Amino acid sequence: MKRRRIARRKITQRWMVNNLSVIIVVLLIFEIMFMVAARSYYYQNVQYLLTSRARVLMRSFQTYQSEQVAGFEDVAREFVGNFADKEKMELQVVDATGHIVVSSTGFQPVEEIMPDYSRAFSSDDGIGVWNGRNSTGENVMALSLVIRNGDGTAEGVLRYLVSLSLIDQQLLVMMGVMVLFSVIVVFFVVLSSAYFVNSIVYPVTEIGRAARRIALGDYDYRLVKKYDDEIGDLCDTINYMAGEISTAEHMKNEFISSVSHELRTPLTAIKGWGETLRQGGSEDPELLDKGLDVIIGEAERLSGIVEELLDFSRMQGGHLNMKFSRMDLLAELSETVLLFRERAAQAGITLEYIEPENLPPIVGDKDRLKQVFINVIDNAIKYSDRGGRVRIETADMGGHVQIVVGDTGVGISAEDLPNIKQKFYKANRSRPGSGIGLALADEIVKRHKGRLDIDSEEGVGTTVTIMLPVAPPELLKAPGGSEGK
């Protein structure tokens, strides 16, 4: 539980950190760009207004100076004394030596560094602008405009100073609004992200819990699908997996039970007849022969079951070796039919074999294909009742050889038919068999690049059709073979 909480916390933290980091960085960049743009916009407007006002005032000063006979400093003091906007901004007159002659504040001006003054004399249009803090620490914008007399000689400058405190306060208010807006955005992002993360983390946690329960054997556990999305698809997949594992486990258990029964029957017969013969049965020749026949037959049956299990194990591990060579399919099939004639007669079943004159040769493993024929014919007899009929016929289909084994037995239900070739699956549990014969036969036929099809109707009978490719012409010129898995 602690590990799950740590994992969930890590996912949530990682999502939050990554998501919020991007959003905060984007908001921070946006705020910085916005504040820089706003500051530049306001300051440029102030500069534009100062420049326009200074030019108008310059013309007024030159006109006023031309009408007076007094000196420059007297004219400047009188002109500044009549300045109407002294409540809004400060107007200074500075002489050509950089000395402040007069200021509209009415106080003795304090000498300070004036970068705008030197810029005005070095610029082509005679205007210099400076933004910074004055000797009192106040943020101001200063604009100097060179004053020239009639012959173009510079006599000094008109210098405007405007406090930017109100603008700075406005910018701080705007920054506060932007910060508040960012906090609100981050808050809603956190809420939406938390909801989104929980909508993923908790279903994933539930899926992990379900997977652990399934791994521990609780195959009946199912997830509740809450979302019709990828998480919902994953829930469907987990549920489907649990169903398939449950079915496979059920089939495996039935297979083990069936195989145990199949093994117990011959072992019981061998043990019983062995005890009978040990208790004096050897004195009766007829009983002795019968007992030995039963023991040998059951031992062969037991050997066949074990060999089938070994082959199935090899098939599961991908180690089902085969020796391919050119072979006469008709000879192997005829020999297999001969093996079952006596058994079919004893069971009261008619065994019909339609043998053609010849069939084209194929490339295959004769022992494995004979194993397929034995399994198919054995099933046809096993699942047929007394009085039934099993019909075997072959045909040359051009590029393929067809073998058809049909019976009039119990048949297979429509529900069981799609699964009949699956491993461990048994359609009719009342008849003997391990449930792996058809799976093994189907795998062998596939290894021969052929096809094994089963058609059946419950209560009517079953038809098994085997299609095997004819040997290519180049392999018919000389005998030979190959091995493969």
Side-chain angles (χ1 to χ4, degrees):
M1 180 65 69
K2 185 176 180 181
R3 291 177 60 188
R4 288 201 296 271
R5 288 177 179 173
I6 291 174
R8 180 164 64 248
R9 206 161 45 237
K10 285 183 178 179
I11 291 175
T12 304
Q13 289 176 354
R14 189 163 61 247
W15 176 274
M16 288 295 185
V17 169
N18 294 340
N19 200 24
L20 287 179
S21 296
V22 173
I23 293 175
I24 290 174
V25 169
V26 170
L27 288 175
L28 185 61
I29 293 174
F30 174 75
E31 288 180 7
I32 292 174
M33 293 177 62
F34 177 81
M35 294 307 299
V36 169
R39 184 178 183 275
S40 176
Y41 172 78
Y42 281 111
Y43 281 19
Q44 285 181 1
N45 278 347
V46 172
Q47 180 180 336
Y48 175 76
L49 291 174
L50 286 179
T51 303
S52 301
R53 186 64 184 274
R55 291 185 184 277
V56 172
L57 203 59
M58 173 61 72
R59 288 193 291 269
S60 299
F61 182 83
Q62 290 174 340
T63 302
Y64 187 79
Q65 186 180 22
S66 63
E67 294 175 352
Q68 302 294 325
V69 294
F72 175 76
E73 292 185 4
D74 295 333
V75 173
R77 287 189 178 90
E78 187 174 351
F79 181 80
V80 171
N82 296 326
F83 181 56
D85 295 330
K86 60 181 66 178
E87 300 295 331
K88 299 178 180 179
M89 63 184 70
E90 181 181 356
L91 175 63
Q92 297 177 349
V93 177
V94 186
D95 61 19
T97 63
H99 172 70
I100 300 176
V101 177
V102 64
S103 172
S104 62
T105 60
F107 299 100
Q108 179 64 31
V110 179
E111 299 294 335
E112 57 184 17
I113 300 175
M114 300 181 290
D116 52 297
Y117 176 83
S118 56
R119 291 172 187 171
F121 279 100
S122 61
S123 65
D124 295 334
D125 57 0
I127 297 176
V129 181
W130 169 73
N131 170 228
R133 296 193 177 276
N134 57 16
S135 58
T136 63
E138 184 180 10
N139 187 25
V140 297
M141 179 178 288
L143 184 142
S144 295
L145 185 63
V146 177
I147 303 172
R148 300 183 184 277
N149 55 24
D151 58 3
T153 303
E155 293 183 298
V157 297
L158 285 178
R159 187 168 185 257
Y160 283 94
L161 283 94
V162 179
S163 175
L164 299 177
S165 299
L166 293 176
I167 294 178
D168 290 342
Q169 291 176 7
Q170 184 67 27
L171 290 174
L172 286 176
V173 171
M174 294 174 64
M175 180 178 292
V177 173
M178 291 296 298
V179 170
L180 179 61
F181 172 76
S182 300
V183 170
I184 294 173
V185 170
V186 171
F187 175 74
F188 281 106
V189 168
V190 169
L191 285 181
S192 62
S193 296
Y195 174 78
F196 180 70
V197 169
N198 289 336
S199 68
I200 293 177
V201 170
Y202 287 116
V204 169
T205 303
E206 182 63 24
I207 290 172
R209 187 180 298 112
R212 280 185 287 274
R213 293 185 62 172
I214 293 170
L216 293 175
D218 187 3
Y219 304 124
D220 294 328
Y221 184 79
R222 294 294 183 271
L223 288 165
V224 178
K225 182 178 179 180
K226 297 180 179 179
Y227 305 99
D228 191 15
D229 53 11
E230 288 81 358
I231 298 293
D233 293 341
L234 184 57
C235 291
D236 289 339
T237 303
I238 295 293
N239 291 338
Y240 174 76
M241 180 191 70
E244 290 297 305
I245 293 176
S246 178
T247 302
E249 185 70 13
H250 180 69
M251 290 169 58
K252 185 190 73 173
N253 292 335
E254 289 193 347
F255 165 75
I256 293 173
S257 176
S258 177
V259 168
S260 299
H261 178 74
E262 289 291 312
L263 292 174
R264 187 185 300 115
T265 301
L267 288 174
T268 302
I270 292 172
K271 180 181 179 182
W273 276 101
E275 291 177 350
T276 300
L277 294 179
R278 188 176 63 178
Q279 293 173 1
S282 58
E283 298 175 0
D284 185 349
E286 184 178 351
L287 183 63
L288 177 62
D289 290 341
K290 182 177 180 181
L292 291 176
D293 287 342
V294 171
I295 290 173
I296 292 172
E298 293 299 325
E300 290 179 351
R301 179 182 172 188
L302 188 61
S303 176
I305 295 173
V306 172
E307 188 62 33
E308 191 177 59
L309 290 173
L310 289 174
D311 285 340
F312 179 76
S313 177
R314 296 187 191 105
M315 182 187 75
Q316 289 292 95
H319 303 295
L320 188 63
N321 295 326
M322 296 189 184
K323 297 180 179 180
F324 292 93
S325 62
R326 189 178 64 185
M327 60 172 286
D328 183 359
L329 184 67
L330 195 57
E332 301 301 326
L333 181 60
S334 299
E335 184 178 337
T336 306
V337 173
L338 186 62
L339 292 175
F340 284 94
R341 282 199 180 278
E342 181 63 26
R343 178 182 163 188
Q346 291 178 357
I349 297 171
T350 302
L351 182 62
E352 299 180 1
Y353 177 40
I354 312 301
E355 183 177 3
E357 294 183 0
N358 56 66
L359 284 176
I362 69 167
V363 174
D365 185 326
K366 62 180 182 179
D367 293 331
R368 293 297 182 185
L369 286 178
K370 188 173 182 179
Q371 184 179 355
V372 173
F373 300 150
I374 290 174
N375 181 275
V376 173
I377 298 173
D378 178 66
N379 283 343
I381 295 174
K382 185 191 304 178
Y383 292 102
S384 294
D385 296 323
R386 181 173 292 274
R389 184 183 63 189
V390 175
R391 180 184 176 89
I392 304 167
E393 55 185 328
T394 62
D396 181 2
M397 306 301 291
H400 290 78
V401 173
Q402 176 180 275
I403 303 99
V404 180
V405 180
D407 64 65
T408 58
V410 296
I412 305 170
S413 67
E415 180 182 357
D416 292 326
L417 189 58
N419 306 312
I420 197 64
K421 292 189 288 185
Q422 292 184 10
K423 58 184 180 181
F424 307 141
Y425 195 87
K426 281 190 67 176
N428 192 328
R429 295 167 180 81
S430 64
R431 305 292 173 110
S434 62
I436 60 176
L438 276 178
L440 186 60
D442 185 59
E443 180 66 20
I444 293 173
V445 172
K446 286 180 178 178
R447 296 285 183 90
H448 286 77
K449 299 181 181 179
R451 192 175 74 247
L452 188 149
D453 297 325
I454 301 175
D455 296 317
S456 184
E457 184 177 348
E458 192 171 12
V460 177
T462 302
T463 300
V464 178
T465 303
I466 301 172
M467 300 287 288
L468 295 170
V470 174
E474 58 268 19
L475 294 180
L476 299 179
K477 297 178 182 179
S482 62
E483 293 188 6
K485 290 184 178 181

